[in-house]
Amino acid sequence: MELMMERTKQAATLEGQMNGYWKDRSESYSAQNLGQFFGEKRAAWEEKLFGNWTQGRSLRVLDIGTGPGFFAILAALRGHKVTAVDMSQEMLQKAQANVRMTGVSIQLQQVGNRLPFAQESFDLIVSRDVTWTLTEPEEQLQHWASLLAPGGEMLYFDAEWYAYLRTEAHRKEYERKKREIREKGGFLYQKANDMEQVAYHLPLTHQVRPQWDREYWARQNGFDCWVEEALNEVVYSPVEQMQYESFPEFLVHVRRRK
C-alpha cells in the first residue's frame, strides 16, 4: 500500500511539472499546429488518421492529449462526433480558440490520467506525441484501449523525444543536431531542456520504441497491433524534417477484435 501511494505521489508530481511546461509552451505549440493545419502535409496526416475508415461513416472519436486541437479539428471537419481531452487548461484554451476559428463542434474536456468515459464508447482513438509522457504506460494504455468499441481502432503517433538521455552517444548527436538547426534558422524552444529532468523519470524514456510498443500489445488479449515507422518524410514539411531528423515519428495501430 505504501509503495502504491508513493508511486501515485511521484506520478502526480511529474504530471504537475509537465503541466507547467505545457502552460508555457502552449502559445508556440499552437502556432506550430496551425502551420500544419494550413500546410502542405495536412492531407498526409488525414490519410494516416482516416485512411482505414469508410468515408461517410460518422465515428465516435476521442483525441487524447489534444493540445491545440489539430487532430480533433481534422476529425470534426469530416463530420465525426469528437471528444478531445487534455490535462493542460492552457492547451485547451488554445484548442477552443482554434475550434472557434474553424467553426466545428468538439467536446473539449480537461482530464487527469484516468479518462472519465465508459468502456467501449469510441470507434476511433487518436493521439500524437503523448505516450512518452505516460507515468504508468502499461496501465494507462490498457485503460485507453478499454474505451474502444469492438472493431474500433486506436492510432497513436510518437517518437523517442528523449532517447539522448539514455547514452552519451545519443546526447552528442542531439547537441550536434541542435547546432545545425540553429545555424539553419530552425525553431528551437528555449525551455525544451526544462523537460529533461521530468523525462528522465518517465518509464518510456528508457525503452527502445516502437519495439516496446510491439511487445506490449503482443501480450494484450483481444487486440491486434501493427506499426509504421520513419514517417517524417510523409507527414512533415521540409523544414520540419530538418528539425525532427533526430526524432523519427512512428505510428502504432491498435485494433480491438470484434
Side-chain angles (χ1 to χ4, degrees), residues 24 30 34 98 248:
D24 293 338
S30 181
L34 286 176
N98 295 334

Side-chain angles (χ1 to χ4, degrees), residues 156 210-211 213-214 217 225-229 250-253:
Y156 63 85
Q211 176 182 327
D213 302 79
R214 288 191 179 95
W217 289 110
C225 172
W226 64 101
V227 178
E228 297 182 59
E229 297 188 64
F250 59 84
L251 167 59
V252 179
H253 298 251

